[in-house]
Amino acid sequence: MSRMHDGARPRSRRRLAALITGAVILSSGVLAATAVPAAAEDCSAYPWMDTSLSSEERANALLDASSQHQKYRWLVEQPANDPQRTNWAGDVVYPVQVPCTPVVIYANGPDGVYGKAGTTAWPGPIAVASTWNLELGEQKATAHGSESFDSRSAVVLGPGIASGRTPLSGRGSEYFGEDPLLSGLMAAANVTGLEQGNPDKPVVANLKHYVANEQELDREESSSNMDERTLRQVYDLPYEIAVKESDPGSVMCSYNQVNGVYACENPILTTSLDEQMGFDGYVMSDFGSVHSTAASMDAGLDQELNRPVWYTPARLDAALAAGEITQEQIEQSAFDVVHTYIEKGLFDHPVPATAITGVSSDEHKALARELAEQSTVLLKNDGALPLADDAPTVAVIGQTASTTPTNGVSAKTGCAWYLVFIRGTALNCDAIVDPLTSITERVEQAGGEVVYDNGADPAQAASVAAAADAAIVFGHYTMGETTDLADLRLDANGDALIEAVAAASERTVAVINAGSAVEMPWIDDVDAVLHAWHSGEQFGPALAGLLWGDVNPSAKLPMTFPVSLADTPTAQSAEQYPGVFSDGSTTRPAGSDEVRQVNYTEGLQVGYKWYDEQGIDPLFAFGHGLSYTEFDYSDLEVKVDRRNDRAAATVSFTVTNAGERDGAEIPQVYLTLPDAADEPGKRLVSFDRVELAAGESTRVELVIDSEASNRPFSIWDADADSWVAPKGRYEISVGSSSRDIHLSDTLQLNITMPAAAANGRG
């Protein structure tokens, strides 16, 4: 659906001022404002700095006082954010911006401030998702926003959302897993913390990379091809949830094509993002993801990231003169950017003139430790954990246990994901407290001894483990931007090391630092497994607390761990992953600029829905995570409030801590749709986190509302171009994972959804 020449965008806030009022049209076609005030030191003289006006009025006032090329500045990151600079590469020249506009610095970093000493190295987004704790995620984002602002960055390029189509995705650790609801809500919590957590330190969040950016291989030269229902339900939906549950100031369009059209010039920026989701901020590109001027602006791209290439004054002037774009579109794009900056506080709270050093506080470090504790997943435990203080000798084995590097690998490797552009971890992990230090302190306080081996020689490591009462062995793999994982096996000699240690030790605990799923050929040989993702700078004390039971594990997997890569949805054909070229090969023909075609023929069967529908047993299911206590579920009750155009099911049940330790449980509610829906498996529709003392019970009540942002009862009907709720019998399941179901019931629905709600504009 084209928007060529349709005037202002279908957004609730529009550029309201007359387009030509107060301006003189020069012979060059450039608009020169007649009422731009002379430079003055008192910013109160300018109406766009008048805080008694609404953000819309202020943005309109600024644009009314701007020349055409001053408006153009807002359409590219660097000219927008460096108001006094006038020259860019390629002989691109702008006039100085109107007075009293802020210097704004964008910073990549969905997980924290990148590469700067004195900032906090947090557990990564996939780890935050493992907490299933939205409040904790928001607290982390608030702290991250404060550190970013103090570091002079008021726009954070994050959080990220992807749908976990393949666990091989190189940037999977930057996202929140494979489920739309969990991903969308976690992203919304992150946006809320960044944008609302520090009123005096405002930050604009950037939801990225929209959309279907599910692999790093040929990310700039591949097309994600799928049917409309799959696009809406799997890849759009988590963005829709995030947009509706928060208010992100910006969204970034991705590098890839979607069904043969680059994302940044794809009509979905309007049909999905604006019209369906009601997004009301500005859309920016990724760096180098713009391929056109008119097509990009017509699709809804407001701002080109980095320097001017496609949105230069010359190209915009030419497109206007040729009738390829309209003045209304220029005005609306500039308004979207300026209004967001004003609404979010960037005009009224400028960043510090120089970066503040040492912004990581004791409170932030305590929060990083709590995140590491709540995000480390206890995958297996055959009674080995928690460890007792009476173990006199503990062997700690593996490179990532210590800050002393072995072949370039150390505890810093497990701290954060790898950023190829700086050839190291994305976050500054210099302040890391490594596991070896924390474990040694714990053991020696109890009168025991720790022996360490770096694991470079599995036979030697096995000898060390054999002489100890318990062995804690570490494995890892690295991952990051620009490259997908080749497989799901541990780096270096990780698998051989764990197998050797397990064969020699009477009690073996494997600790894994990896940002995605891991194949575990040694799973039957070890006594316990903790999956710690990229665990941040406080992993050492967090891990020690978990190993000895000071902290009861509560994390749950936000993605499925397969037994083998061959079991995953995209492993069924090369057309699905890595994608193919016209000759059917997976390698681009020499000298060709052909786009790789990646066919999403698995459709809706992504993540746990694939394993459910195919009857494949995973190694560890979505939502799985053990505790040192046990939880019982009972007394399920489902009450339905039915109306012609709406239904809300109140699901209530009792959770009891039946063990002898205090602990937290994350009850999960799943919904299986009627057969007529042709929907694979079941879908997560709600969850909670409850903390219970030993022996304590609580009543959990969760509402499943047809009008909720996750559209729990609905499917996308491409023919009707709307969401519809299939009539029939729905099954509600309650459990501690997607496979560990304790309670179930059914309900009958017959909903006729109103057009506005069905199309996302209710």
Side-chain angles (χ1 to χ4, degrees):
M1 184 176 78
S2 175
R3 293 195 311 104
M4 190 70 74
H5 305 308
D6 64 353
R9 294 192 197 142
R11 298 183 180 177
S12 61
R13 290 189 288 257
R14 296 184 180 181
R15 169 78 166 115
L16 301 176
L19 300 181
I20 309 299
T21 299
V24 176
I25 299 189
L26 305 179
S27 59
S28 65
V30 176
L31 290 174
T34 60
V36 177
E41 296 188 12
D42 183 8
C43 287
S44 64
Y46 305 112
W48 53 91
M49 298 304 294
D50 184 352
T51 57
S52 70
L53 300 177
S54 70
S55 54
E56 290 89 348
E57 291 170 327
R58 294 173 65 182
N60 281 315
L62 185 147
L63 294 176
D64 287 343
S66 300
S67 71
Q68 181 79 339
H69 283 200
Q70 285 172 324
K71 294 172 185 175
Y72 285 172
R73 293 187 70 111
W74 298 107
L75 309 189
V76 184
E77 176 203 347
Q78 291 180 359
N81 299 334
D82 192 355
Q84 298 302 308
R85 181 179 172 185
T86 57
N87 294 278
W88 273 265
D91 295 323
V92 177
V93 179
Y94 295 86
V96 171
Q97 190 53 280
V98 299
C100 297
T101 59
V103 171
V104 177
I105 299 173
Y106 290 10
N108 194 18
D111 40 357
V113 177
Y114 278 6
K116 293 186 178 180
T119 58
T120 305
W122 307 95
I126 190 70
V128 176
S130 298
T131 70
W132 294 56
N133 188 332
L134 300 177
E135 180 180 355
L136 192 64
E138 184 176 332
Q139 291 173 12
K140 178 264 173 185
T142 296
H144 172 191
S146 175
E147 293 190 6
S148 179
F149 185 91
D150 288 342
S151 300
R152 302 197 71 233
S153 296
V155 176
V156 171
L157 303 184
I161 289 179
S163 295
R165 180 175 182 258
T166 171
L168 296 176
S169 173
R171 300 183 79 171
S173 62
E174 291 186 57
Y175 306 126
F176 298 110
E178 68 189 26
D179 180 77
L181 178 63
L182 182 61
S183 291
L185 291 180
M186 277 292 173
N190 191 279
V191 169
T192 301
L194 286 171
E195 294 193 342
Q196 300 179 25
N198 306 284
D200 294 329
K201 298 179 180 181
V203 168
V204 174
N206 176 246
L207 201 59
K208 65 179 188 181
H209 309 84
Y210 184 77
V211 62
N213 181 199
E214 297 288 326
Q215 63 188 61
E216 288 299 285
L217 177 64
D218 277 342
R219 64 181 183 178
E220 299 180 52
E221 295 123 353
S222 64
S223 180
S224 302
N225 304 321
M226 71 199 78
D227 62 82
E228 186 177 345
R229 181 176 173 184
T230 297
L231 174 64
R232 299 289 194 190
Q233 289 187 212
V234 179
Y235 301 99
D236 265 4
L237 186 56
Y239 281 90
E240 181 170 356
I241 294 168
V243 167
K244 290 183 174 180
E245 298 295 335
S246 63
D247 184 24
S250 62
V251 168
M252 178 185 289
C253 50
S254 54
Y255 283 115
N256 55 288
Q257 296 181 357
V258 180
N259 292 328
V261 181
Y262 282 107
C264 291
E265 57 188 46
N266 199 304
I268 58 176
L269 294 181
T270 292
T271 57
S272 290
L273 195 58
D274 286 356
E275 296 175 359
Q276 285 288 330
M277 304 180 197
F279 173 67
D280 212 9
Y282 69 99
V283 178
M284 73 170 73
S285 73
D286 206 336
F287 181 33
S289 66
V290 185
H291 297 266
S292 62
T293 303
S296 297
M297 180 156 288
D298 187 60
L301 177 67
D302 295 310
Q303 189 182 83
E304 182 176 18
L305 193 68
N306 205 263
R307 67 179 180 87
V309 177
W310 289 98
Y311 276 14
T312 62
R315 279 180 156 161
L316 291 169
D317 283 343
L320 271 172
E324 297 171 342
I325 60 175
T326 67
Q327 183 64 28
E328 289 89 346
Q329 290 173 308
I330 294 287
E331 299 280 340
Q332 186 65 51
S333 288
F335 175 84
D336 290 341
V337 178
V338 175
H339 175 264
T340 299
Y341 282 14
I342 293 173
E343 182 185 49
K344 300 298 183 182
L346 272 56
F347 270 59
D348 303 324
H349 299 277
V351 297
T354 58
I356 299 172
T357 59
V359 295
S360 180
S361 64
D362 290 342
E363 291 79 8
H364 291 184
K365 293 182 182 300
L367 182 58
R369 175 173 176 171
E370 185 177 7
L371 278 163
E373 292 168 347
Q374 289 196 24
S375 64
T376 299
V377 189
L378 181 60
L379 295 176
K380 175 182 179 178
N381 186 22
D382 287 345
L385 297 177
L387 297 172
D389 284 330
D390 59 0
T393 305
V394 176
V396 176
I397 297 169
Q399 299 104 313
T400 53
S402 171
T403 52
T404 301
T406 301
N407 299 322
V409 176
S410 72
K412 290 185 181 181
T413 308
C415 170
W417 63 281
Y418 185 81
L419 186 59
V420 65
F421 308 112
I422 62 174
R423 298 182 182 274
T425 55
L427 303 181
N428 186 299
C429 293
D430 289 348
I432 191 169
V433 183
D434 66 14
L436 179 59
T437 297
S438 297
I439 291 170
T440 300
E441 290 176 354
R442 180 58 191 257
V443 172
E444 290 181 349
Q445 285 175 2
E449 178 188 9
V450 168
V451 290
Y452 173 68
D453 186 276
N454 63 26
D457 181 349
Q460 178 179 307
S463 176
V464 171
D469 298 286
I472 304 168
V473 57
F474 290 75
H476 78 284
Y477 61 63
T478 57
M479 61 189 296
E481 188 172 357
T482 73
T483 305
D484 286 336
L485 293 166
D487 53 47
L488 299 178
R489 305 299 290 267
L490 298 177
D491 280 356
N493 62 354
D495 290 325
L497 175 64
I498 293 176
E499 288 171 351
V501 169
S505 175
E506 293 186 2
R507 180 161 46 170
T508 303
V509 178
V511 178
I512 307 300
N513 285 117
S516 186
V518 177
E519 289 185 19
M520 301 180 183
W522 35 260
I523 188 65
D524 292 333
D525 301 324
V526 298
D527 300 293
V529 180
L530 287 160
H531 193 82
W533 314 101
H534 297 129
S535 46
E537 66 175 53
Q538 294 297 310
F539 181 50
L543 179 62
L546 289 163
L547 289 170
W548 271 269
D550 304 328
V551 178
N552 197 342
S554 61
K556 302 281 188 177
L557 289 177
M559 63 184 300
T560 304
F561 278 30
V563 174
S564 73
L565 184 60
D567 291 340
T568 60
T570 57
Q572 311 312 303
S573 70
E575 288 81 4
Q576 291 172 274
Y577 184 85
V580 298
F581 298 95
S582 57
D583 61 0
S585 72
T586 59
T587 303
R588 179 175 285 103
S592 170
D593 59 359
E594 186 179 345
V595 172
R596 182 185 295 272
Q597 301 300 312
V598 186
N599 297 327
Y600 287 35
T601 50
E602 70 282 352
L604 304 175
Q605 296 184 46
V606 174
Y608 60 91
K609 298 179 182 69
W610 162 262
Y611 296 90
D612 283 356
E613 190 69 13
Q614 299 296 322
I616 298 172
D617 289 330
L619 181 62
F620 296 109
F622 172 84
H624 170 76
L626 302 176
S627 169
Y628 295 150
T629 189
E630 297 180 359
F631 296 96
D632 291 340
Y633 290 70
S634 62
D635 303 323
L636 174 64
E637 184 178 13
V638 179
K639 295 181 179 179
V640 184
D641 178 12
R642 296 179 179 85
R643 304 175 191 176
N644 288 337
D645 60 354
R646 182 176 182 176
T650 300
V651 180
S652 57
F653 50 91
T654 299
V655 178
T656 301
N657 183 344
E660 298 180 353
R661 289 176 176 266
D662 299 349
E665 172 67 327
I666 300 168
Q668 303 154 42
V669 179
Y670 294 87
L671 192 68
T672 303
L673 273 60
D675 291 342
D678 193 23
E679 186 80 5
K682 54 187 174 293
R683 58 174 64 169
L684 180 72
V685 292
S686 193
F687 60 90
D688 199 0
R689 178 184 172 88
V690 293
E691 298 187 7
L692 297 171
E696 183 182 6
S697 296
T698 191
R699 191 74 178 163
V700 177
E701 184 175 288
L702 301 170
V703 177
I704 317 302
D705 192 329
S706 62
E707 294 189 356
S709 60
N710 62 317
R711 306 182 182 277
F713 297 109
S714 297
I715 62 172
W716 180 259
D717 186 328
D719 292 333
D721 194 35
S722 67
W723 293 92
V724 298
K727 299 176 182 179
R729 187 173 297 276
Y730 293 72
E731 181 177 354
I732 289 178
S733 304
V734 179
S736 54
S737 80
S738 64
R739 289 293 179 99
D740 189 11
I741 301 300
H742 300 282
L743 305 169
S744 62
D745 199 354
T746 60
L747 58 90
Q748 187 79 22
L749 289 184
N750 184 5
I751 308 172
T752 303
M753 298 181 70
N759 288 288
R761 297 185 292 275

